[in-house]
Amino acid sequence: MLRKGTMAISNFWFAILFGCGLTAQAQQKTPPSADKPLILSAAIPLPNIQGRIDHFALDPGGRVFICVVGNDTVEVVETLTEKRVHTITGVPHPQ
């Protein structure tokens, strides 16, 4: 017959080993990643850009807002037509 202390220790080790087994089993059943790599599909020229491009924002209509720190501008590009449609000037340190 087992004493109380021995039973508690046995239950503890059983729980540890059982938990490790579940973790290992869960890691083995993870499906491989189905993500595909990004592929460059187009390049939109932005002439007269001075400095670095810092932040981007996308609106649901397909426009991309590009902050150009050196120009103090925000360039607005339409992804569907692949053209710059507007330049917002006079924005100090756009982000």
Side-chain angles (χ1 to χ4, degrees), residues 44-47 49 63-68 71 73-79 81-91:
I44 302 171
L46 297 174
I49 296 295
R63 292 181 295 180
V64 179
F65 297 85
I66 305 166
C67 297
V68 185
N71 272 9
T73 61
V74 176
E75 305 296 327
V76 183
V77 174
E78 279 190 351
T79 57
T81 61
E82 297 180 358
K83 294 182 181 175
R84 176 172 38 187
V85 294
H86 189 65
T87 298
I88 303 169
T89 59
V91 183

Side-chain angles (χ1 to χ4, degrees), residues 11-38:
N11 288 342
F12 171 76
W13 285 112
F14 176 75
I16 294 294
L17 292 174
F18 184 72
C20 290
L22 287 179
T23 303
Q25 186 179 14
Q27 290 175 355
Q28 291 172 358
K29 290 187 178 183
T30 304
S33 177
D35 294 338
K36 295 182 181 179
L38 295 176

